[in-house]
Amino acid sequence: MNKWAWISLGMVLMNVFLFFMFRGPNVHLPLVVTIESSLSIIGIVCAVLSKKIIAGTAGFVLNGGVLVVMFFLLLAMGISEP
């Protein structure tokens, strides 16, 4: 694995760490969604730049999963507001 693949997988670990660190009823949810979505997009770009089949696919799928979870969180946040 090259450095781009390691950065991509590191973004996944950072997203999981931030997800468990910033939770609870008093969290500023739009900020969390923005930060984690941007880290996920950076991870997807790094996965594409790695040009390694296994590491690139793993980074792309894992970062894409985080991006989908953030989309659903943003969708639920929009539904819950009056």
Side-chain angles (χ1 to χ4, degrees):
M1 288 197 322
N2 55 8
K3 67 178 179 176
W4 296 111
W6 283 111
I7 292 171
S8 176
L9 295 175
M11 291 297 167
V12 173
L13 293 175
M14 191 179 304
N15 277 327
V16 170
F17 177 73
L18 288 175
F19 183 77
F20 286 120
M21 189 172 164
F22 297 122
R23 60 185 179 139
N26 296 327
V27 69
H28 187 62
L29 206 52
L31 181 65
V32 172
V33 168
T34 303
I35 290 171
E36 291 203 9
S37 296
S38 62
L39 287 176
S40 178
I41 291 171
I42 291 170
I44 289 172
V45 169
C46 290
V48 170
L49 288 175
S50 73
K51 296 183 182 177
K52 299 288 184 185
I53 298 297
I54 301 296
T57 304
F60 189 81
V61 168
L62 291 172
N63 280 307
V66 171
L67 197 59
V68 167
V69 168
M70 288 300 116
F71 171 73
F72 284 135
L73 188 60
L74 186 63
L75 185 67
M77 186 177 62
I79 290 172
S80 67
E81 292 180 359

